[in-house]
Amino acid sequence: MVGKVGGCRGAVDIGPGPGGARVGLDGKDYGLSPTTIEPLPPGKHSLRLSRDGMADQLIALRVEPGQTVRIDAELSTESGALDIRPTPRNSAISVNGVELGPGRQVLPSLAPGPYSIRASAVGHTDRSEAHPSQ
């Protein structure tokens, strides 16, 4: 859901659904949910919600100028692990559009479901794989 914000910046509002979840946006920690993160520059952003004993949620989102993007995700106790070992080793890795960084990425607790994994490195063809839920 999207609401109005003044100016050319936007915001992300993480609702009470994942209450007490650690909120990470674009690799920066924003404390616990529920929370509102503002002002944010327009464009693509990567959201990660995590809480002990629960599976992490990775959410790619787009913030438009003057808009608030509302997130009300539920966290699950069911989880699985994902271990990404790219070649070349310094490849940039993203999962479901959320940029995780370069090199090997280990995600020990992800919610069940399909995931799209992308590896890219300068001088190499990008590789994308879809992994269905088990």
Side-chain angles (χ1 to χ4, degrees), residues 9 23 31 37-39 42 54 63-64 81 85 104 108 111 117 122 127:
R9 300 250 181 201
V23 176
I37 303 167
E38 62 183 335
M54 307 295 271
V63 174
E64 298 295 337
R85 300 174 190 204
R104 183 179 180 189
I117 302 164
V122 175
R127 180 164 182 187

Side-chain angles (χ1 to χ4, degrees), residues 15-82:
R22 173 80 37 207
V23 176
L25 186 73
D26 300 332
K28 184 178 175 188
D29 182 42
Y30 283 90
L32 301 177
S33 65
T35 189
T36 300
I37 303 167
E38 62 183 335
L40 282 176
K44 293 185 341 185
H45 295 276
S46 301
L47 178 67
R48 185 175 193 163
L49 301 173
S50 58
R51 189 167 75 188
D52 287 344
M54 307 295 271
D56 289 2
Q57 287 281 346
L58 301 174
I59 302 168
L61 54 98
R62 182 166 194 78
V63 174
E64 298 295 337
Q67 299 293 307
T68 297
V69 177
R70 299 194 198 296
I71 303 293
D72 197 16
E74 293 294 327
L75 299 181
S76 170
T77 57
E78 293 182 46
S79 68
L82 184 59

